[in-house]
Amino acid sequence: MTSTNKNESANVVVFGATGDLSIRKLFPSLFQLFLNHSLADDLRIVAVVRAELTVETFAQRIAESCLKRTQDRSQFDAFVKKIDCVRMDIGNVETFAALRSMLSDTVRSIFYFSVSPSLYGAITAGLKQHGCINTDSRVVVEKPIGHNLETATQISNELSKSFDESQIFRIDHYLGKETVQNIMALRFGNAVLEPLWCAERIQSMQITVAEDIGVVNRGPYYDHTGALRDMVQNHLLQLLCVMAMEPPGQLNPASVRDEKLKVLRSLRAIQPSDVVTKTVRGQYVASPDRKASKNYLQEVGVDPCSQTETFVAVKAEIDNWRWAGMPVYMRTGKELPSRASEIVIQFKDVPHKLFKHTASHLLANRLVISLQPEESIKLYLNAKTPGRGMTLQPVALNLDLINSSPMRRWDAYERLILDVIQGDLTLFMRETDVLAAWNWIDPIVQGWIEHMPNPEPYEAGTWGPVAADQLLAKDGFIWHNPGRYINDMH
């Protein structure tokens, strides 16, 4: 869906250019696209900054991140020549005049909002008032889009005053990962899996996004947001959509996003009274086994009486013909044992255990999809070990090209930024997707307020509260811990 051909000219305007996301991801990705000759020669980048800043000083700020993949300083210097800096006060609409003077009416403008969603309305109003927006303009917005259904609707309304839906690119970088693309190729490019891709053949699905650090310097943001809004509402639900969607009629943005929306609308509602049995919320505390760990309540910028969750586990169910009766377990958290994102499909066991009297310990077949720290897709089957007798053990079949292909692996932001420039909306969320996700999330939040106001503490370096294990245990399952294939069959 993404081409590496040279693109049309554009002005890429980055609001929040000195922020963490811009320095770590956006500018390094733009630099890599420049190295790949994927940007038009006359493409310009406008860095919107709050304080007076020269291009030379700005280049010093982004140099370390940009030069991690290549030490070719001459190429970096050539890339910097594409960058202009403009000082603006977003709260003062008159300062948008300086930006307008830098934009050409003959070149498409792409506005990247790498700022708090609370500023989207002010930026959009300022751009519109000074004539920066036209029918060719595009805007990119980051998650979380809103704090609940009401605020997400408000943000959508603010954006729609100046941009058509086809001009709005709601980015979720998980959807730009190579392995997520490979899931679609695996599912819809091969006939062998389709008969197995249903509740009749699959026993359960697990989605884990784990971080091995705390909130670090994001205390004020995280304390306002929490794990459910920060991760489940977007990343985890979008991964679920890719795994559970029906084959689209065509590989185009409308068809793909239509099928993903059907999954969100098929999720069984978790009513406030259900949260005690279907969700778990936790908050990390310091552990003597993990150096430098501290209580969440001791983090900088966190309310010392905060009830914000840093861990959440949810049992979800999809009410449609393909998936009815199959549980989906999702979990995410901070200060867990390792940084990892994995999707695990556990197939149902063989109907008759032919090898039960041997020394074998058969495991249910599994498809393990790893998104980070390394990307891979492995199908675990049982095979005979060499030698006398029928002793079986699980072996992994590698189903992706990441390790075998000589081609360089693209970063998610590289792919998504190029998609924006080319106008490909396939990997971006629509307004209806965002609102459907919030419609499912909001009752959980309300249920926590009414029935589970206090998150359960868990020690840093563990896999979350004990209740997370119990959530699966009552259904006869245990969590598949990322990074290793363990004996955790149903």
Side-chain angles (χ1 to χ4, degrees):
M1 289 179 282
T2 297
S3 168
T4 57
N5 295 333
K6 185 168 292 189
N7 295 276
E8 63 185 66
S9 182
N11 296 312
V12 179
V13 182
V14 181
F15 289 88
T18 57
D20 181 66
L21 174 66
S22 296
I23 291 175
R24 285 191 307 105
K25 290 293 185 181
L26 302 188
F27 282 95
S29 295
L30 285 165
F31 178 50
Q32 192 63 54
L33 292 172
F34 172 78
L35 293 176
N36 293 347
H37 306 289
S38 297
L39 301 179
D41 293 336
D42 57 349
L43 180 139
R44 296 175 62 219
I45 303 168
V46 180
V48 177
V49 296
R50 288 182 294 179
E52 199 67 47
L53 200 65
T54 65
V55 173
E56 292 74 18
T57 303
F58 181 74
Q60 293 174 7
R61 295 195 181 187
I62 65 174
E64 181 180 355
S65 296
C66 288
L67 292 171
K68 281 183 177 180
R69 293 185 180 178
T70 174
Q71 294 300 311
D72 191 337
R73 187 76 196 201
S74 63
Q75 290 278 52
F76 177 70
D77 291 340
F79 170 68
V80 170
K81 291 180 180 178
K82 289 183 169 292
I83 301 176
D84 293 307
C85 290
V86 57
R87 180 178 178 272
M88 291 178 57
D89 177 3
I90 293 173
N92 181 0
V93 72
E94 297 305 319
T95 63
F96 282 78
L99 174 62
R100 178 66 184 91
S101 67
M102 303 176 72
L103 304 180
S104 169
D105 291 331
T106 61
V107 176
R108 183 193 307 277
S109 291
I110 296 171
F111 303 103
Y112 201 117
F113 290 2
S114 182
V115 295
S116 168
S118 63
L119 299 175
Y120 291 175
I123 296 175
T124 303
L127 292 173
K128 184 176 182 179
Q129 181 172 329
H130 284 272
C132 300
I133 301 173
N134 56 40
T135 55
D136 286 333
S137 302
R138 292 170 186 157
V139 62
V140 186
V141 293
E142 285 275 352
K143 66 89 179 175
I145 300 173
H147 191 71
N148 49 31
L149 180 60
E150 180 182 359
T151 55
T153 302
Q154 179 182 347
I155 290 172
S156 291
N157 291 339
E158 290 173 343
L159 291 173
S160 64
K161 290 177 182 178
S162 302
F163 297 97
D164 182 75
E165 180 64 24
S166 64
Q167 297 175 278
I168 303 173
F169 291 71
R170 298 173 183 85
I171 196 167
D172 185 332
H173 73 273
Y174 268 59
L175 297 182
K177 289 180 176 293
E178 191 72 44
T179 301
V180 175
Q181 307 291 290
N182 221 345
I183 293 172
M184 296 186 70
L186 189 69
R187 286 196 57 196
F188 306 137
N190 300 281
V192 67
L193 281 180
E194 176 59 24
L196 306 177
W197 211 257
C198 60
E200 292 181 356
R201 294 288 180 265
I202 294 176
Q203 197 165 45
S204 67
M205 183 190 305
Q206 294 184 19
I207 303 176
T208 295
V209 177
E211 297 181 78
D212 59 358
I213 58 174
V215 298
V216 194
N217 59 352
R218 300 173 70 221
Y221 161 78
Y222 198 87
D223 204 40
H224 176 69
T225 306
L228 184 70
R229 294 184 177 97
D230 186 48
M231 298 297 291
V232 178
Q233 187 272 338
N234 40 79
H235 293 333
L236 275 74
L237 285 183
Q238 284 298 307
L239 292 177
L240 174 58
C241 287
V242 174
M243 296 297 293
M245 64 186 280
E246 294 295 322
Q250 296 179 342
L251 197 60
N252 60 40
S255 296
V256 171
R257 299 197 295 179
D258 282 347
E259 297 304 334
K260 289 167 60 181
L261 179 60
K262 290 177 184 178
V263 176
L264 290 172
R265 288 178 170 171
S266 296
L267 285 172
R268 183 181 301 176
I270 297 179
Q271 301 297 339
S273 58
D274 297 330
V275 296
V276 175
T277 58
K278 293 187 176 181
T279 73
V280 176
R281 63 193 304 246
Q283 187 182 95
Y284 65 77
V285 296
S287 169
D289 298 326
R290 174 166 284 195
K291 294 181 180 179
S293 68
K294 61 177 69 172
N295 293 343
Y296 171 73
L297 299 179
Q298 297 173 322
E299 298 282 10
V300 177
V302 171
D303 182 342
C305 298
S306 174
Q307 295 177 329
T308 298
E309 76 286 351
T310 62
F311 176 97
V312 60
V314 180
K315 176 184 176 181
E317 296 165 278
I318 305 171
D319 287 335
N320 62 25
W321 278 36
R322 183 184 291 265
W323 298 115
M326 185 206 70
V328 179
Y329 303 101
M330 297 182 285
R331 64 174 172 173
T332 184
K334 291 188 174 295
E335 286 286 8
L336 300 182
S338 61
R339 172 179 174 267
S341 297
E342 283 192 352
I343 305 170
V344 179
I345 295 290
Q346 179 168 314
F347 293 94
K348 291 186 176 179
D349 208 349
V350 293
H352 174 61
K353 294 186 179 297
L354 184 62
F355 303 101
K356 61 185 177 181
H357 297 302
T358 72
S360 310
H361 181 66
L362 291 182
L363 302 177
N365 300 143
R366 288 190 172 182
L367 182 66
V368 179
I369 302 166
S370 179
L371 304 177
Q372 63 181 25
E374 297 297 329
E375 296 188 55
S376 66
I377 301 178
K378 291 182 170 63
L379 177 63
Y380 287 87
L381 303 175
N382 293 301
K384 180 184 177 299
T385 58
R388 186 172 179 272
M390 287 296 293
T391 301
L392 276 62
Q393 67 180 24
V395 295
L397 302 181
N398 193 347
L399 300 181
D400 64 78
L401 293 174
I402 289 176
N403 295 318
S404 58
S405 173
M407 296 182 65
R408 185 188 69 84
R409 186 187 310 178
W410 280 52
D411 178 82
Y413 274 99
E414 292 174 39
R415 174 180 288 106
L416 294 172
I417 290 172
L418 192 55
D419 281 356
V420 175
I421 294 173
Q422 295 180 333
D424 188 344
L425 284 156
T426 306
L427 301 179
F428 297 84
M429 294 178 288
R430 285 186 300 204
E431 176 188 23
T432 48
D433 301 334
V434 175
L435 300 184
W438 280 120
N439 192 55
W440 190 74
I441 291 291
D442 278 0
I444 299 176
V445 175
Q446 185 60 38
W448 285 352
I449 294 172
E450 297 174 4
H451 303 287
M452 295 171 58
N454 299 311
E456 182 180 338
Y458 65 95
E459 282 195 1
T462 66
W463 283 108
V466 173
D469 294 327
Q470 296 171 342
L471 180 69
L472 272 68
K474 61 189 177 185
D475 293 336
F477 298 101
I478 69 173
W479 290 104
H480 172 97
N481 290 331
R484 58 195 179 96
Y485 189 78
I486 59 175
N487 296 343
D488 54 357
M489 61 181 291
H490 173 63

